Amino acid sequence: MARWPKPAEGSWTQHYPDLGTGPISFRDSTSPEFYAAEREAIFKRAWLNVARVEELPRVGSYLTKDIAAVGTSIIVVKGKDQTIRAFHNICRHRGNKLVWNDFPNEETKGVCRQFTCKYHGWRYDLDGALTFVQQESEFFDLDRDAYGLRPVHCDVWNGFVFVNFDDEPRQTLREFLGPMVTALDGYPFDKLTERYDWVADNNSNWKIFADAFQEYYHVPSLHPQQVPPAVRDPNAGFECAHFQIDGPHRLVSTAGTRRWLLAPEYMYPIERATRSGLVGPWRTPDLGELPAGLNPGGIEPWGISNFQIFPNLEILIYGGWYLLYRYWPTSHNTHRFEAYTAFHPARSVRERIEHEVAAVVLKEFALQDAGMLGGTQAALETGIVDEFPLNDQEILVRHLHRVVGDWVAEYQAERTPVGASRG
Ligand code: FES
Ligand SMILES: [Fe+2]
């Protein structure tokens, strides 16, 4: 019995006929060769979110970001003109990593007036210009203008800082994000600045973990504490109210289940005591009118909308607060998972506790998902089985692997010389 209407074609998947309905392969998540292709085809060509503008509040605020999939470290910095720029984190003199603190392989952040190389003291302005060369007269016709920091394309959408490693990105950031994602314009991300961050190194391909957060089919079996008795009934399942695909991006919305309506035995005691938990604080301040793009399916009562922004960003909005995940591949079968929850700044001790409890309980549930990963990856790597059926609730899993395959195939086709023999 469908509780939410499906598209006229009979299913969400058939509404997007290019996706097909057959079993899929996960070889794209076990193959070192495929990962090598993904790095070139996807991570060096798509727009990648690396920060929020609140992390760079002042002129000279900077952070470094090491992106293994691209094989580089970058500096992201706010310039004197308030523009946020990105540069490869490499000194133009003899290639030292320019910005780091105690350990060259760890990321760092801070505020400075200029960047000074630790090795021979060359200095660079906030806009990347080379401004000082030690003993300049010892060099041979050194043109300082030719030795600025190597820039990386950088742009900001709704306070999210993105970079792009392509020589010449084929789309602007806004074009890349497309109408479904930019319909979130006006959502008050800038008001939700109280953040709880965490990072985990996981033993799975990056897509395998993304998959765990883009379907809710697993909820009744993997997170049984989370769902009310009616849903725990194995015959009831869990059905999302709306799916949508736009280019390489996708979203899913659920209908609202308000935690405080659930039976108390399905909460941790601290959730009852603090009136906060897995779905966040039970009350959040009124953020004013929210953009229609937050709930494009018009679901009533609306629960959450989960935007999966290609390739490795997820923004999950609960109305008055949101959480963000990024999946950074570090090899074909490992990735670094970055996550944070973001709330309005607490106005009282009670609100602060509500936020902390929400962050901790959420992390507990994310660990249940993460706990599956090593097992999934190891079993997939046996290669014994390579055809996996996906149901209609898993349409977004199907779409991610399809888009990844398409980007890799397109990249490889562009590099096949015209007229090359295929015989
Ligand atoms: S390597 Fe940076 S100043 Fe020499
Ligand atoms: Fe989960």
Side-chain angles (χ1 to χ4, degrees), residues 43-119:
F43 287 90
K44 292 187 186 172
R45 304 213 297 178
W47 287 93
L48 305 171
N49 170 239
V50 292
R52 281 278 315 165
V53 291
E54 293 83 11
E55 294 168 72
L56 302 161
R58 296 164 48 186
V59 168
S61 293
Y62 66 88
L63 55 88
T64 67
K65 189 92 192 151
D66 290 5
I67 303 178
V70 179
T72 192
S73 168
I74 57 171
I75 307 164
V76 186
V77 58
K78 181 178 261 187
K80 295 195 179 84
D81 58 356
Q82 305 287 329
T83 300
I84 293 175
R85 295 183 178 81
F87 304 98
H88 286 282
N89 189 2
I90 176 168
C91 176
R92 293 298 306 276
H93 174 224
R94 271 170 50 201
N96 189 29
K97 188 170 185 177
L98 181 61
V99 180
W100 52 278
N101 269 347
D102 298 333
F103 303 99
N105 291 326
E106 286 186 3
E107 294 171 349
T108 185
K109 61 186 171 183
V111 185
C112 68
R113 288 163 187 259
Q114 59 192 353
F115 300 110
T116 305
C117 183
K118 299 180 199 309
Y119 203 167

Side-chain angles (χ1 to χ4, degrees), residues 303-315:
I304 59 181
S305 283
N306 181 338
F307 287 78
Q308 303 277 337
I309 301 174
F310 188 76
N312 66 333
L313 173 66
E314 170 172 338
I315 304 175

